[in-house]
Amino acid sequence: MKEKSGRMIADQTVKYILFISAILSIIIVLAIAYFIFRESIQAWKEIGFTNIILKSVWRPGQDQYGILAMIVGSIAVTIGAIVLGVPLALGTAIFLGEIAPKGVQALLRPAVQLLAGIPSVVYGLFGMVVLVPIIRRINVPGNSGYGLLAASIVLAVMILPTITSIAEDAIRAVPDSYRSGSLALGATKWQTITKVVLPAGRSGIIAGIILGVGRALGETMAMIMVIGNSVKFPKPLTANPLTFYLSKARTLTGNIAVEISYATGIHESALFATGVVLFALIIIVNASARWFIKRQSSIPTTRQ
Amino acid sequence: MINNKSISTLHNDPESLKNLKIRSTTQNVWFSIMWLAGLVTLIILLLVIGYVIIQGGKALSWEFLTTPPRGGLSGEGGISTTLGTTVYLVALTLLIATPLGVGAAIYLIEYAGELGLTSPVMRVLISIANFAVETLAGIPSIIYGLFGYALFVSTLQFGWSLLSAALAGACLVLPTIIRTTEEALLTVPDDYRRGSLALGATKWQTLYKVVLPAAIPGIITGIILSVGRIISETAVFFVTLGGSHRLPSSIMDGGRTLALHLYYLAMDTNAFDKAMGTGAVLVILIILINLSINLISGKLTARIRGGK
Amino acid sequence: MNTKLETIEFNLYYGDFHALKDISVKIPEKRVTALIGPSGSGKSTFLRTFNRMNDLISGVRTHGDVLIDNVDLFKIDPVALRQNIGMVFQKPNPFPKSIFENVAYGPRVTGLRDHKKLEEIVESSLRSAALWDEVKDDLAKSGLALSGGQQQRLCIARALAVQPTVILMDEPAASLDPIATQKIEDLIHTLSENYTIVIVTHNMQQAGRVSDYTAFFYTDDTRTGRLVEFDETKIIFTNPADKRTEDYITGRFG
């Protein structure tokens, strides 16, 4: 009897310990939000919300802390990465999910997985040593090779595996009965993919792209290494608007990482304010991805 | 009797033939483009890995691996202390994150369900906890860095140290460990649990003796994934670990991991060859990690297919 | 009577596994032919041979001839063939699209753009499938919102819209309730005026009710499916030539 109650007490104790681990995630999320916001309060108070968000001059020496240039930098590089990376990622996902023979799948899928695992500093280094010298050859005055284009290309490769694997999962989740239904009606395999499979997997595919956006907005070190880190507002170098992407820039993430180790006082607080803006952007992006994932999982399946 | 002439359609009208031809041509064109997409993805990987390993390989030597970096602007020396720091940091981070992550997953999978409808407060709490895990997985690493800097480095005054970095890193890998452990637990058949409970074992005895051993390969996969995450991570440690190139002698000392070292070499020195060498070491480590994960999960699927 | 489909010494393998052996049969035009037999005797596999859906399964090999209108079926582009041979599956599988789009799918993929014409085809196909009166006011509603029986008739309408000459049905009523089954059976009867129908069924009464001809498939321990007997349904059910057919049918009738 005594032994038994000892076992029961152990059972209960373990349960409470496990419960605490389970809610630790909640505590961490709240702590992250709390500390980043707390440290940024001074900046919001003394500089003002609009002066931070809408001013584009960042000069810590003169107490000017506008981050609009970095917001634009982050968005521009994300758009660039999406434009370059999404078609390739979706193509690869369709190829893996619908077209590739088994042997090719067995080669390509681990390759995509490996692409996801390569450290961002390695991508950054590859960008510095290989991409930047190539881009530098584009004959435009003021083009150093470092800038939005180099950053967009590096980032496109970095978000490729995220989007590919989520989109492939969404494609594979489409019931086979849809495919056989379409093929039996005399549709070609390609028509089946574009008219039935992709529409049915749409929500999951969109969620993959949005999560790719989230990754792109959050990437730090590789961006610092190839984007040039200029605090100036990015502008086209010549009359040709395309040269905008040859302009140096800085991302929100880069702004934090480059300056946090030596910043103090209001400067440090302004960097935390940058973090708050980034945090808010990411929360919005991830929430919308989650919404699409919910929709995907609610499609009725009539698997045979 | 058999009409053996080769035809492509039964509707022999030209309209239908033309339509069929257009559709099959369209398919061929698009399939080629999809093949190309797959090929380009593969080429990108081979290009990045091949370049880093071949170029970096030139800098690799026993000496490079075993001598400490000397610091300074020319990037003299090897990478021994950064390898050491990486090992310390991986160990310390996992020491913190693994019990918490595995514990959280056990609770969320094994206990949360049995609360049933009896306790609405608990149910809300559990769904918030799941939401929090998802949120953590989506937060960019620099935010973890900022958080670690504000809480561990400044407020708790751990300074730039292994401890600060490991605590911030533990928050970063926590969702990975929780999710992979949850998946592993979900693959353990319910019969195992019922069988053990029916013999009079308590819930925890059942978990500890029956469920967890069955879930071990999945849990190990999560841990190896986390090792990869920590080795690759730079942003978090850039703002929590300092950048000293010496080997930390206690958990209150700072240091630099391989990835951080690569960053410093690339940005602050002109020793691109050494940076590439460090990159090659990183890439090889990541390849080994991926191989071992595929090996374990391959064994796992074989066991699921073969067993029961 | 014309022969619509014919197989001569047809064999099919999944890898090393011999699934169908030496099947020779002539399926008459504009009649209903039922394929019956125990599970695993290869009826469904045989059915899928006619629209070459087996081609999609890797490792499938065949030898022997399959003819449609006396033409070698394997020489026809499978896409064109499937426009000629519609198929209805065991579980209703409408696309997650509107009723209209489900029926218009086939004509659209084969190149029809004219909306007026599409509307005509959708209406006539739904009428032929005895579904028009139930859905004519809700054509924009999702096909998945219909009941199981309605979904199956939608799938039949979808197949008719491509104007096939043959319709293959793989246990089309297996997942339906008796009333919905009754409607499908009535429909099969009506359709046989214009179409050659081949139906796989596990339900002996159903085979007896709807079919003009019956093919009995059987398999022994080797799991290789063989055709035991093919004849008019009333002969198969009243006076079968083979003992195994008789055992199977009487066994089912209890």
Side-chain angles (χ1 to χ4, degrees):
Chain A
M1 193 65 205
K2 203 171 179 205
E3 182 271 337
K4 195 174 179 187
S5 69
R7 281 202 307 161
M8 294 303 171
I9 290 168
D11 202 51
Q12 284 303 309
T13 316
V14 165
K15 187 171 165 180
Y16 289 119
I17 294 172
L18 293 175
F19 173 70
I20 291 167
S21 330
I23 58 167
L24 188 66
S25 298
I26 306 177
I27 297 168
I28 294 174
V29 171
L30 293 178
I32 289 174
Y34 170 76
F35 275 99
I36 292 175
F37 191 73
R38 189 191 75 175
E39 300 291 320
S40 71
I41 286 177
Q42 191 193 0
W44 300 122
K45 268 196 187 144
E46 292 181 20
I47 308 162
F49 181 75
T50 48
N51 282 338
I52 292 177
I53 300 283
L54 298 176
K55 289 261 168 77
S56 58
V57 182
W58 176 271
R59 244 177 244 141
Q62 299 169 20
D63 278 350
Q64 287 180 291
Y65 297 104
I67 60 168
L68 186 62
M70 288 75 141
I71 295 177
V72 170
S74 278
I75 292 174
V77 83
T78 301
I79 292 174
I82 291 296
V83 167
L84 296 173
V86 166
L88 187 57
L90 292 189
T92 307
I94 294 170
F95 179 67
L96 270 175
E98 297 284 323
I99 298 170
K102 282 229 167 64
V104 179
Q105 286 181 32
L107 183 71
L108 189 53
R109 206 169 283 121
V112 172
Q113 196 190 343
L114 189 54
L115 216 46
I118 294 178
S120 62
V121 282
V122 172
Y123 283 118
L125 182 66
F126 184 82
M128 288 172 86
V129 175
V130 179
L131 276 179
V132 167
I134 294 173
I135 294 172
R136 195 179 289 140
R137 288 202 207 141
I138 301 173
N139 197 3
V140 169
N143 170 26
S144 65
Y146 291 93
L148 289 169
L149 179 60
S152 298
I153 296 173
V154 168
L155 206 49
V157 174
M158 296 182 73
I159 63 173
L160 175 71
T162 309
I163 302 176
T164 301
S165 56
I166 298 172
E168 196 208 337
D169 285 347
I171 287 170
R172 285 184 175 276
V174 174
D176 261 348
S177 63
Y178 292 174
R179 292 184 186 86
S180 26
S182 168
L183 292 170
L185 288 167
T188 62
K189 222 176 153 189
W190 178 247
Q191 287 178 315
T192 302
I193 294 170
T194 54
K195 291 178 199 290
V196 178
V197 177
L198 294 183
R202 189 178 50 217
S203 298
I205 294 169
I206 294 172
I209 295 173
I210 297 175
L211 288 174
V213 169
R215 255 212 92 175
L217 284 174
E219 179 45 43
T220 310
M221 305 316 278
M223 294 299 96
I224 299 177
M225 292 167 86
V226 295
I227 205 171
N229 296 316
S230 160
V231 295
K232 291 214 191 84
F233 200 89
K235 281 190 198 61
L237 301 181
T238 67
N240 182 349
L242 279 179
T243 58
F244 175 77
Y245 269 85
L246 294 175
S247 164
K248 287 184 178 178
R250 180 183 277 199
T251 59
L252 290 166
T253 54
N255 194 41
I256 299 168
V258 168
E259 300 192 4
I260 191 74
S261 51
Y262 60 84
T264 53
I266 184 86
H267 181 194
E268 188 183 334
S269 183
L271 293 176
F272 276 93
T274 312
V276 170
V277 172
L278 178 66
F279 196 51
L281 276 175
I282 294 284
I283 294 284
I284 294 169
V285 165
N286 287 350
S288 51
R290 203 159 10 229
W291 185 76
F292 276 104
I293 287 173
K294 275 230 175 81
R295 267 184 39 160
Q296 169 81 17
S297 55
S298 67
I299 62 165
T301 49
T302 43
R303 204 178 274 275
Q304 285 196 306
Chain B
M1 184 181 98
I2 299 173
N3 180 344
N4 233 341
K5 71 176 189 241
S6 187
I7 55 162
S8 61
T9 167
L10 285 173
H11 294 301
N12 269 320
D13 60 300
E15 193 62 29
S16 172
L17 267 171
K18 197 177 131 212
N19 171 272
L20 193 68
K21 196 144 192 194
I22 291 171
R23 289 197 287 148
S24 85
T25 313
T26 311
Q27 161 151 319
N28 289 340
V29 170
W30 279 104
F31 272 30
S32 313
I33 294 173
M34 297 299 117
W35 270 91
L36 194 67
L39 197 65
V40 168
T41 299
L42 198 60
I43 289 173
I44 289 174
L45 175 80
L46 294 178
L47 202 68
V48 174
I49 288 188
Y51 187 89
V52 172
I53 290 185
I54 291 169
Q55 291 296 318
K58 293 175 190 162
L60 284 188
S61 65
W62 185 246
E63 199 200 341
F64 182 71
L65 295 175
T66 53
T67 49
R70 254 170 260 145
L73 286 178
S74 56
E76 291 292 308
I79 57 168
S80 68
T81 55
T82 68
L83 267 171
T85 306
T86 306
V87 172
Y88 287 167
L89 186 63
V90 166
L92 191 56
T93 306
L94 289 176
L95 206 64
I96 299 166
T98 307
L100 294 172
V102 172
I106 294 175
Y107 193 86
L108 291 174
I109 297 296
E110 303 287 336
Y111 287 89
E114 77 177 17
L115 301 170
L117 303 166
T118 51
S119 168
V121 179
M122 287 295 275
R123 262 172 56 225
V124 171
L125 209 54
I126 294 303
S127 69
I128 295 176
N130 279 315
F131 180 78
V133 176
E134 267 182 66
T135 308
L136 283 180
I139 292 177
S141 54
I142 187 66
I143 297 287
Y144 284 100
L146 262 187
F147 165 65
Y149 181 79
L151 177 58
F152 308 125
V153 177
S154 307
T155 308
L156 297 175
Q157 303 210 322
F158 296 157
W160 284 316
S161 64
L162 271 180
L163 183 61
S164 298
L167 286 167
C171 298
L172 179 81
V173 298
L174 196 61
T176 308
I177 296 182
I178 294 178
R179 284 290 177 246
T180 44
T181 307
E182 282 184 338
E183 276 169 34
L185 291 172
L186 285 172
T187 61
V188 178
D190 261 346
D191 294 347
Y192 288 21
R193 298 181 180 85
R194 285 193 216 105
S196 168
L197 289 170
L199 291 172
T202 64
K203 176 122 187 158
W204 172 243
Q205 286 173 322
T206 302
L207 285 173
Y208 188 75
K209 299 225 169 91
V210 180
V211 179
L212 282 182
I216 281 289
I219 296 173
I220 291 176
T221 305
I223 293 172
I224 300 177
L225 269 174
S226 305
V227 173
R229 221 33 240 273
I230 301 162
I231 291 176
S232 310
E233 183 52 48
T234 324
V236 175
F237 306 136
F238 187 59
V239 295
T240 53
L241 191 58
S244 159
H245 52 76
R246 276 181 286 276
L247 195 65
S249 54
S250 85
I251 58 168
M252 302 311 281
D253 274 358
R256 58 167 78 166
T257 60
L258 276 173
L260 264 179
H261 185 55
L262 189 165
Y263 176 80
Y264 284 121
L265 287 176
M267 299 299 281
D268 298 345
T269 74
N270 45 24
F272 277 109
D273 56 331
K274 303 244 159 136
M276 267 308 165
T278 313
V281 174
L282 278 169
V283 167
I284 291 167
L285 283 174
I286 294 298
I287 291 175
L288 290 177
I289 283 174
N290 271 6
L291 281 179
S292 55
I293 288 174
N294 284 338
L295 206 70
I296 293 175
S297 63
K299 273 198 181 141
L300 199 62
T301 33
R303 206 181 63 183
I304 290 169
R305 284 211 191 111
K308 26 162 209 123
Chain C
M1 186 161 332
N2 287 327
T3 295
K4 181 71 185 179
L5 298 164
E6 181 175 3
T7 63
I8 304 161
E9 303 278 299
F10 179 73
N11 288 267
L12 185 142
Y13 306 81
Y14 291 109
D16 293 334
F17 171 57
H18 198 168
L20 288 170
K21 188 171 160 72
D22 295 340
I23 314 280
S24 298
V25 68
K26 289 183 178 180
I27 290 173
E29 189 170 24
K30 295 189 181 170
R31 292 289 183 277
V32 180
T33 302
L35 312 182
I36 62 168
S39 314
S41 56
K43 316 175 293 287
S44 292
T45 304
F46 186 63
L47 187 76
R48 283 197 304 267
T49 300
F50 292 117
N51 66 345
R52 295 182 60 180
M53 292 298 273
N54 288 329
D55 291 17
L56 305 169
I57 304 166
S58 64
V60 166
R61 288 175 300 122
T62 61
H63 66 84
D65 289 312
V66 184
L67 311 177
I68 175 167
D69 297 332
N70 282 339
V71 173
D72 182 353
L73 190 137
F74 293 109
K75 290 223 167 80
I76 302 169
D77 185 301
V79 171
L81 178 71
R82 290 175 196 142
Q83 278 167 244
N84 262 274
I85 302 188
M87 185 163 201
V88 178
F89 297 81
Q90 186 173 350
K91 267 195 188 158
N93 60 347
F95 302 127
K97 298 173 184 284
S98 70
I99 293 171
F100 183 91
E101 286 303 324
N102 262 286
V103 183
Y105 184 86
R108 271 196 211 281
V109 297
T110 52
L112 185 62
R113 294 274 172 276
D114 182 353
H115 198 78
K116 193 103 193 119
K117 227 148 173 202
L118 279 172
E119 279 176 357
E120 284 169 25
I121 293 178
V122 169
E123 178 172 346
S124 67
S125 306
L126 285 168
R127 278 189 194 282
S128 307
L131 190 60
W132 174 255
D133 291 331
E134 290 162 58
V135 301
K136 61 176 183 234
D137 300 321
D138 298 311
L139 292 179
K141 199 164 83 174
S142 166
L144 296 170
L146 298 173
S147 73
Q150 288 175 320
Q151 286 191 13
Q152 196 61 300
R153 277 179 283 146
L154 177 63
C155 291
I156 293 173
R158 189 174 72 176
L160 297 178
V162 197
Q163 293 168 319
T165 53
V166 179
I167 302 171
L168 309 175
M169 297 187 171
D170 190 356
E171 298 188 54
S175 63
L176 305 181
D177 63 55
I179 294 171
T181 302
Q182 174 70 45
K183 284 190 177 157
I184 298 283
E185 287 180 9
D186 292 347
L187 182 56
I188 291 170
H189 191 73
T190 325
L191 290 174
S192 67
E193 286 170 23
N194 299 307
Y195 302 91
T196 305
I197 295 175
V198 187
I199 175 172
V200 168
T201 177
H202 269 116
N203 181 330
M204 289 307 105
Q205 290 101 319
Q206 185 171 68
R209 284 193 299 266
V210 301
S211 70
D212 306 300
Y213 291 83
T214 295
F216 175 62
F217 282 72
Y218 192 72
T219 181
D220 50 25
D221 295 340
T222 61
R223 313 285 296 155
T224 297
R226 292 161 209 262
L227 178 66
V228 173
E229 195 172 352
F230 176 82
D231 213 322
E232 284 186 48
T233 299
K234 55 174 184 281
I235 295 176
I236 292 271
F237 276 75
T238 54
N239 192 16
D242 195 289
K243 179 84 170 51
R244 288 169 295 183
T245 315
E246 190 179 349
D247 287 349
Y248 183 71
I249 286 167
T250 52
R252 282 301 157 107
F253 286 133

